[in-house]
Amino acid sequence: MTATSGVPGVVPAVRAEADRRHLGNRPRRIAAASVALAALLAGPAAAAPPDPLLSLRLDARAAVREHPGMWTGASVARGASAVVAGSPRPLVAEIAALADRAGRTVTRVWGGYGGAVVLVPRTEEQAAVLAAPAKVDGLAAVATGGRVIVQPAAFARLSATGRLVVVTHELTHVATAGPRAVPMWLMEGFADYVGYLDSGLPVRTVAAELAADVAAGRTALNTLPGPADFAARPAQAYEEAWLACRYIAARFGERRLVALYRAALREDIGAALREVLGLTADGLTREWRSYARERLARS
């Protein structure tokens, strides 16, 4: 509605014409906002030194141009290894700072990586469009195609520690993406291992749902979690996967855990386990089960 539509005595035809002008300007405003945001992501002048985030800025510009209607009033923040675009401005700046902290952790554990574009839409519906075909239901963020998509409502409910864990988890996914899919327990468990590494949280806090199930006899920890487990009981499956990777790091060292992941990007997980850890899948499962029960039983 226009500013004059609520004034008594305005002729309906005049009000309708004013509304048409208002709506007719909307596509131009969206286009202008998209152009303005793209300009913020543009490269430096020719005489400027090379920009290490050039590829990320180009990818962020592509994301803006793919969905121009999402970015009215959006802002851009860049960190040491991330470009963050979206709204509101304080959240964008916060996520850029979190991405810097998270990026240092990922680099320390995994090695160097090329950074990431983080998109912060206004609504869950917009996040779903940006993440497709990946799903954002029940998630605070998701990594897909080298980008991290934040689901704003879920992200807002997290504590400060939770936000850092989520950003670190998703940047780990970006860093570890490769030509071969690794088992889900290793992919999600490793991302959580890196995510929780500096959190200071005890095992029973991180794995609260699993601890309750084990204490009540609702799970026997018979197998490492697979896709069906992550779909049916996601909290417990993530916790089981995290404990598997935590066990490997505790027994063999963090470097061997990283080596296992890198080997699984090249070959079958059975071969990777034998090559890096000297274990079979059944052997790892038995040792993980014992470790998990012992750690979850501690007060």
Side-chain angles (χ1 to χ4, degrees):
M1 300 296 286
T2 67
T4 59
S5 63
V7 179
V10 174
V11 179
V14 175
R15 184 166 65 244
E17 177 59 28
D19 285 345
R20 280 195 294 273
R21 288 199 302 270
H22 176 74
L23 294 172
N25 287 335
R26 187 169 179 270
R28 287 196 291 274
R29 288 201 306 274
I30 290 174
S34 178
V35 169
L37 189 59
L40 290 174
L41 293 163
D51 183 357
L53 299 185
L54 175 60
S55 63
L56 299 180
R57 284 190 298 96
L58 292 176
D59 187 39
R61 287 182 71 184
V64 167
R65 288 172 171 169
E66 288 164 10
H67 304 281
M70 290 186 186
W71 308 108
T72 303
S75 64
V76 175
R78 50 183 288 167
S81 58
V83 173
V84 186
S87 337
R89 184 184 298 270
L91 180 58
V92 169
E94 177 191 349
I95 290 175
L98 289 173
D100 274 357
R101 292 179 61 188
R104 289 192 291 271
T105 302
V106 173
T107 298
R108 186 179 82 235
V109 177
W110 180 255
Y113 80 111
V117 169
V118 184
L119 301 177
V120 191
R122 287 185 177 83
T123 68
E124 182 176 356
E125 292 74 19
Q126 290 177 342
V129 170
L130 292 170
K135 304 296 184 183
V136 297
D137 301 354
L139 301 176
V142 63
T144 178
R147 300 171 182 171
V148 175
I149 314 301
V150 172
Q151 205 280 77
F155 195 82
R157 292 192 291 268
L158 297 175
S159 66
T161 298
R163 291 184 179 198
L164 180 59
V165 169
V166 164
V167 173
T168 308
H169 177 110
E170 300 306 333
L171 292 187
T172 301
H173 281 320
V174 173
T176 57
R180 182 187 180 98
V182 304
M184 205 162 179
W185 69 264
L186 181 57
M187 179 178 68
E188 297 297 349
F190 183 74
D192 262 0
Y193 170 80
V194 181
Y196 282 110
L197 199 55
D198 298 327
S199 70
L201 296 172
V203 168
R204 284 178 60 87
T205 298
V206 175
E209 291 85 357
L210 183 60
D213 279 2
V214 169
R218 289 190 293 267
T219 180
L221 299 174
N222 286 327
T223 60
L224 290 165
D229 299 298
F230 283 93
R233 49 187 194 91
Q236 294 89 338
Y238 275 94
E239 292 160 9
E240 289 169 354
W242 171 66
L243 282 169
C245 289
R246 197 176 189 273
Y247 163 71
I248 292 168
R251 177 181 170 186
F252 297 96
E254 186 175 276
R255 290 185 180 181
R256 298 275 286 280
L257 173 61
V258 172
L260 174 65
Y261 200 112
R262 293 188 183 276
L265 288 171
R266 300 189 305 266
E267 58 193 356
D268 176 81
I269 186 62
L273 284 169
R274 289 191 298 273
E275 173 189 321
V276 178
L277 305 182
L279 289 175
T280 63
D282 286 345
L284 173 61
T285 300
R286 285 193 300 272
E287 296 191 15
W288 157 75
R289 183 188 303 123
S290 175
Y291 172 83
R293 286 187 174 280
E294 187 271 331
R295 296 298 299 176
L296 292 172
R298 292 185 181 182
S299 57

